């Protein structure tokens, strides 16, 4: 009976960890500002291989390792830190605040692991600013010759005129004035920061 309960608890903890990873990791990755949409232009999944120079690929691999490290340390560290702080508070309450200091400083460790996680995510975000090459999830492929077209699309801002006409303007410099071909009204394009993330960009083959 005891062995069964132990196996059940281990299995439950494992499943909980998996759920947490599947839910938290993509949110952390997307919370870092991306210079270009990080998602697959075809299926919307995260993690499309890019036409990136070798140094960006190296930074990406390092970023994945650092992110994995920081992420695991943060997820595993939260319960440990909560426990340590509880012990520290109890020690301080019992009248020995000096002895409680190391335990009360435990959240600083979480700050370090959190910073590592964000640094890794930022490195991955930079890699994702290069044009897409292939998606392992939906098998979408984008040839080398489409790189310039992708960058032009990513760097432009799509917005609607008051008359409903969809307009496209270069994102740099921000706030460029464009004239609507339908109603003739002239207006400033919104800045790149206000742009929606996903860019429809067709894949050449499956
Ligand atoms: Zn895809
Ligand atoms: Zn218009």
């Amino acid at each position: 009976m005891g062995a069964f309960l132990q196996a059940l608890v281990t299995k439950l903890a494992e499943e909980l960890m998996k759920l947490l990873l599947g839910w938290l990791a993509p949110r952390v990755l997307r919370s870092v500002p991306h210079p270009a949409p990080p998602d697959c232009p075809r299926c919307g999944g995260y993690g499309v291989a890019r036409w990136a120079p070798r140094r960006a690929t190296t930074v990406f691999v390092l970023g994945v390792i650092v992110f994995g490290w920081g992420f695991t340390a943060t997820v595993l560290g939260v319960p440990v830190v909560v426990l340590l702080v509880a012990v520290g508070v109890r020690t301080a309450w019992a009248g020995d605040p000096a002895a409680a200091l190391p335990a009360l400083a435990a959240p600083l460790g979480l700050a370090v692991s959190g910073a590592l996680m964000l640094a890794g995510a930022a490195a991955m975000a930079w890699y994702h600013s290069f044009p897409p090459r292939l998606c392992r999830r939906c098998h979408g492929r984008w040839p080398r010759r489409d790189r310039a077209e992708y960058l032009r699309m990513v760097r432009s801002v799509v917005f609607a005129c008051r008359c409903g006409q969809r307009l496209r303007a270069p994102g740099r410099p921000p706030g460029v004035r464009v004239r609507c071909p339908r109603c003739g009204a002239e207006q400033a394009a919104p800045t790149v920061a206000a742009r929606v993330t996903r860019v429809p960009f067709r894949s050449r083959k499956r």
Side-chain angles (χ1 to χ4, degrees):
M1 192 63 196
F4 171 74
L5 265 181
Q6 201 180 347
L8 189 76
V9 168
T10 312
K11 186 84 200 138
L12 266 177
E14 227 170 69
E15 288 301 311
L16 209 74
M17 193 76 183
K18 242 190 259 171
L19 267 177
L20 194 67
L21 284 179
W23 180 82
L24 196 64
R27 275 174 174 74
V28 173
L29 282 173
R30 289 191 171 104
S31 73
V32 169
H34 286 67
D39 301 333
C40 170
R42 200 158 166 259
C43 72
Y46 192 98
V48 178
R50 306 278 163 165
W51 290 110
R54 187 165 296 154
R55 70 197 150 86
T57 312
T58 311
V59 166
F60 172 71
V61 172
L62 290 176
V64 171
I65 295 168
V66 169
F67 177 78
W69 244 53
F71 188 81
T72 313
T74 306
V75 169
L76 295 178
V78 166
V80 175
V81 164
V82 167
L83 210 79
L84 279 175
V85 167
V87 168
V89 166
R90 237 182 92 187
T91 313
W93 198 256
D96 196 356
L101 268 183
L104 289 178
L108 286 178
L110 274 189
V112 172
S113 66
L116 275 180
M117 185 167 77
L118 288 180
M124 288 158 80
W126 181 54
Y127 173 78
H128 283 116
S129 68
F130 292 94
R133 188 162 58 84
L134 73 103
C135 173
R136 288 180 191 88
R137 221 166 79 158
C138 68
H139 302 290
R141 276 171 188 282
W142 297 269
R144 223 183 149 81
R145 63 175 182 274
D146 284 0
R147 285 174 306 168
E149 193 196 337
Y150 175 81
L151 290 178
R152 212 184 53 241
M153 286 191 64
V154 160
R155 285 169 191 166
S156 65
V157 196
V158 177
F159 61 103
C161 176
R162 269 155 293 179
C163 72
Q165 172 75 34
R166 262 164 66 94
L167 302 175
R168 183 181 282 280
R172 264 171 243 155
V176 150
R177 298 192 68 81
V178 281
R179 186 178 291 279
C180 172
R182 204 165 104 181
C183 70
E186 201 189 74
Q187 57 186 303
T191 59
V192 178
R195 181 166 52 97
V196 278
T197 44
R198 185 117 170 252
V199 173
F201 187 65
R202 76 200 181 284
S203 135
R204 295 281 180 171
K205 45 190 164 170
R206 279 192 69 97

